[in-house]
Amino acid sequence: EINMKRTLKNIFSYILLGSLLIATLTGCNTNNKSYAFGLDTGDKVKITINTSDKYNMSSSLPIQFSKDSETISYGSFVSSGTLDVYKGEIEDETSNMKTYEEGAINGVTYIFYTEKDDVETYYNYVMKVDGSNTGFLLTNTVSKESAQEVFEKLVFEVEKK
């Protein structure tokens, strides 16, 4: 009976230790997905998306960003000077573009703006990837909030060659 108690105690200890190890490894899962893109600018840029809340991204260009398997945004790489070009167009009072905000976060300097045509409204982020010659244009036609949610899930990094 003593051996049986000791054996059960050992088995329970191993199960507990195994469960703690699995919980620790699971806790390390950051729910991120990343792709690195070698670009004509000579840069290699890695984009990481936080996949919590069922967000995802494709690995081909233009990049499709989705939530719940529905594509909600598209992204394309552009030259780093595109940020300045768009800034000039947005500041033009005759333009159909209006700025929501400008800033720097998650490896980019950005302008968040809307652009309207006869059919729909585009909620766009034009960005310059920090430390690179590369920009990125993120477009969403769902809503301002949807565009912001996608943008906030992204991190941009320049990888060393």
Side-chain angles (χ1 to χ4, degrees):
E1 187 174 321
I2 293 175
N3 283 341
M4 181 62 114
K5 284 183 181 179
R6 190 176 305 153
T7 303
L8 288 175
K9 186 176 178 183
N10 286 342
I11 290 171
F12 180 73
S13 295
Y14 287 126
I15 290 172
L16 182 61
L17 183 62
S19 297
L20 289 173
L21 181 60
I22 289 170
T24 301
L25 293 174
T26 304
C28 292
N29 182 356
T30 59
N31 295 324
N32 289 334
K33 181 183 224 178
S34 299
Y35 293 110
F37 299 87
L39 305 168
D40 294 341
T41 60
D43 295 321
K44 186 173 185 182
V45 176
K46 179 171 83 171
I47 301 176
T48 301
I49 188 167
N50 180 316
T51 57
S52 63
D53 300 325
K54 298 184 181 178
Y55 280 89
N56 204 350
M57 68 185 264
S58 67
S59 61
S60 58
L61 298 173
I63 300 169
Q64 296 178 22
F65 298 94
S66 60
K67 182 175 182 178
D68 296 321
S69 300
E70 180 184 337
T71 299
I72 55 175
S73 291
Y74 292 90
S76 297
F77 290 99
V78 294
S79 70
S80 62
T82 303
L83 182 70
D84 293 329
V85 171
Y86 275 73
K87 188 171 186 164
E89 287 183 28
I90 292 167
E91 290 172 352
D92 180 351
E93 291 183 15
T94 63
S95 169
N96 59 348
M97 304 163 99
K98 301 260 188 259
T99 302
Y100 280 123
E101 74 180 20
E102 296 181 47
I105 191 170
N106 296 336
V108 296
T109 301
Y110 69 91
I111 300 172
F112 180 36
Y113 68 96
T114 59
E115 183 175 8
K116 294 182 180 184
D117 64 18
D118 295 337
V119 179
E120 56 193 331
T121 301
Y122 300 89
Y123 304 91
N124 299 326
Y125 282 87
V126 62
M127 307 164 231
K128 180 189 181 304
V129 180
D130 297 341
S132 77
N133 296 311
T134 301
F136 194 77
L137 180 61
L138 181 67
T139 300
N140 180 305
T141 57
V142 177
S143 69
K144 176 183 176 185
E145 294 76 17
S146 175
Q148 289 171 311
E149 285 176 16
V150 172
F151 176 73
E152 290 169 1
K153 296 272 183 193
L154 302 177
V155 175
F156 293 78
E157 298 173 77
V158 177
E159 292 193 334
K160 303 258 190 247
K161 298 174 192 169

